[in-house]
């Protein structure tokens, strides 16, 4: 599973890859695992412009090493577990929204 996160000030973010031990996406599609790290500076999000400049991504994580729980009414939510091949958390204002969300 590919877990990408654009909240670069989160303590679990390593070069756009989430390193949290577990992730919980709430019913309003927000990652509640997010914790702001005051020592990190915001990194310009170039992931939207892949053709202009390649971002420095951390290696992909093994999906077996991570549990993603989900409370959202999403197509990928199966009994509270995310079964998507990958998720991306976007940096919209202050909240880390799951942009892989597909309404069920």
């Amino acid at each position: 599973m590919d877990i990408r996160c654009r909240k670069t000030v989160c303590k679990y973010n390593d070069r756009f890859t989430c390193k949290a031990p577990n992730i919980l996406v709430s019913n309003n599609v927000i990652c509640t695992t997010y914790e702001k790290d005051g020592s990190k500076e915001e990194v310009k999000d170039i992931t939207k412009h892949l053709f202009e400049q390649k971002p420095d991504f951390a290696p992909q994580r093994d999906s077996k090493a991570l549990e993603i729980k989900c409370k959202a009414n999403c197509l990928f939510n199966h009994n509270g577990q995310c079964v998507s091949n990958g998720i991306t958390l976007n940096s919209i204002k202050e909240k880390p929204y799951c942009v892989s969300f597909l309404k069920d």
Side-chain angles (χ1 to χ4, degrees):
M1 178 178 289
D2 193 18
I3 298 117
R4 296 296 176 194
C5 182
R6 293 179 176 151
K7 290 299 283 183
T8 57
V9 295
C10 179
K11 80 177 204 174
Y12 299 114
N13 190 308
D14 176 14
R15 294 171 289 154
F16 300 103
T17 298
C18 180
K19 299 294 184 174
N22 298 299
I23 295 174
L24 173 61
V25 177
S26 68
N27 59 349
N28 56 350
V29 198
I30 295 174
C31 175
T32 61
T33 309
Y34 167 76
E35 288 185 47
K36 187 173 182 175
D37 182 343
S39 67
K40 286 186 173 183
E41 290 186 30
E42 189 78 39
V43 175
K44 182 181 176 190
D45 182 5
I46 60 169
T47 61
K48 298 180 258 184
H49 309 287
L50 292 176
F51 296 109
E52 296 172 21
Q53 181 180 358
K54 181 182 174 194
D56 180 24
F57 285 132
Q60 187 173 335
R61 292 187 65 187
D62 180 4
S63 62
K64 294 176 185 148
L66 178 67
E67 179 179 40
I68 301 177
K69 293 186 177 183
C70 184
K71 294 183 177 181
N73 184 19
C74 178
L75 180 66
F76 301 117
N77 183 346
H78 287 228
N79 299 317
Q81 299 290 322
C82 179
V83 296
S84 174
N85 288 333
I87 66 170
T88 298
L89 299 172
N90 203 357
S91 182
I92 302 170
K93 298 186 181 179
E94 289 296 314
K95 299 184 189 226
Y97 288 96
C98 177
V99 295
S100 304
F101 168 78
L102 292 175
K103 190 169 173 84
D104 188 19

